[in-house]
Amino acid sequence: MFIGLLTAVGASACYGSGSVLQALGARRSAARESAAGAGATEYGGPSLSSTAKAVVTWEFIAGTVLDAAGFALGALSAKLVPLFLSQTVISANLVITAVLGIWVLGIRLVRPEWISIGVVCAALVLLAGTAGHEGGGHVPIGWHWGLLAVSVLLVLAALPIVRLMGSRAAIPAGLLSGLCFGAVGVGVRVLNGTDPFAWRDLLGDPALYAIAIAGLGGMYFHTLALQIGSINGATAALVAGETVVPGIIGVLWLGDTARAGMAVPASIGFVLAVVGAVAVAWYGNPHVPGVPEPEPARTGGG
């Protein structure tokens, strides 16, 4: 349990730091594209070419390296503790993102944001004290195929939605990225061929390809959200998406449990964590001093 919590905290730190660097690279790239009169679609959102240019900035690459480290730590945590605990502790990257955003991006948090962040922290402490044993993660192979189908459909259906929403897609894109990363967490839990390691079982498991597709989709939607919206709002929406669904799946189908007699406090902690994350998204300050905001599109593109 202790190692699982420790790796979840490490993943949270990596993700939070990575998000700030990625936001810096994405915003600066979007500002340069906007100043050149390009990089936006007819709906006001970033074009695919604009997003592609954002991911090759040095800030974004450094943030992606941290994300990769966070993914590895998070995958280990998902194997060692219940999903509702590991995903919620990892979601504490919202707090790290907010605090680092003050120093790196010059963001000023309003009082409701601080209160909401405090609620998230209190919820995490409550959850840590109520977590019981993680389930085995053994489900029929049909579930693995189902996870792959859901991951593919989620990404394919979300792409036109965020494109049509344009400049209003920041929070939905953050939520979609969270759902994708939540699918990654579930995939890691049920993945075959990891304990003991058997590469044939691993490569033959549909869950492995679900992890790859959902992971790439989550990265794209997260980048999009960071280009056009508040880093705290986008991260909070991501937190809600990656926490709720995997937590419910873990309890209902994968055998995750709370400690005896602690089901109600665990439920309260789970709800408070999600409510706090949503509140941060609601009160998020979209302006980053010193980093110009992208202007609305004038013509079609990408």
Side-chain angles (χ1 to χ4, degrees):
M1 176 69 74
F2 176 75
I3 295 177
L5 282 173
L6 189 62
T7 52
V9 171
S12 180
C14 289
Y15 280 136
S17 304
S19 290
V20 172
L21 286 172
Q22 287 170 331
L24 187 60
R27 289 301 186 98
R28 286 178 172 172
S29 175
R32 287 194 295 267
E33 290 289 296
S34 179
T41 68
E42 60 185 305
Y43 305 105
S47 66
L48 290 175
S49 62
S50 172
T51 303
K53 290 178 181 178
V55 301
V56 296
T57 60
W58 75 264
E59 299 99 336
F60 201 96
I61 292 173
T64 301
V65 171
L66 286 170
D67 275 351
F71 174 80
L73 291 170
L76 179 59
S77 177
K79 285 287 188 180
L80 298 176
V81 297
L83 274 176
F84 73 84
L85 176 59
S86 67
Q87 294 299 107
T88 308
V89 172
I90 290 172
S91 74
N93 70 78
L94 168 64
V95 179
I96 297 169
T97 298
V99 173
L100 286 180
I102 296 173
W103 296 336
V104 177
L105 301 176
I107 295 175
R108 290 188 298 273
L109 302 183
V110 296
R111 180 177 297 178
E113 284 182 285
W114 282 115
I115 294 174
S116 302
I117 290 172
V119 169
V120 173
C121 292
L124 295 178
V125 172
L126 181 59
L127 276 172
T130 60
H133 297 289
E134 75 281 0
H138 300 296
V139 293
I141 193 64
W143 285 78
H144 297 226
W145 284 105
L147 180 64
L148 175 58
V150 168
S151 299
V152 171
L153 290 174
L154 176 62
V155 173
L156 291 180
L159 285 172
I161 292 175
V162 295
R163 182 176 176 84
L164 288 172
M165 293 189 70
S167 60
R168 299 170 297 169
I171 298 302
L175 180 61
L176 287 165
S177 68
L179 292 174
C180 287
F181 290 136
V184 170
V186 174
V188 167
R189 170 63 74 81
V190 303
L191 190 61
N192 291 328
T194 59
D195 187 20
F197 180 77
W199 67 269
R200 289 186 178 180
D201 292 340
L202 186 67
L203 294 179
D205 191 346
L208 177 66
Y209 305 100
I211 291 170
I213 292 170
L216 290 173
M219 283 292 295
Y220 171 74
F221 295 127
H222 188 213
T223 304
L224 187 70
L226 293 176
Q227 283 184 288
I228 58 179
S230 158
I231 179 176
N232 292 337
T235 303
L238 184 154
V239 162
E242 74 174 348
T243 302
V244 176
V245 176
I248 292 173
I249 291 175
V251 171
L252 295 182
W253 289 293
L254 300 181
D256 292 346
T257 62
R259 289 166 53 193
M262 301 296 285
V264 172
S267 300
I268 293 173
F270 184 78
V271 171
L272 284 176
V274 175
V275 170
V278 172
V280 175
W282 179 263
Y283 292 111
N285 179 6
H287 179 60
V288 181
V291 180
E293 294 285 334
E295 296 178 359
R298 300 180 183 85
T299 59

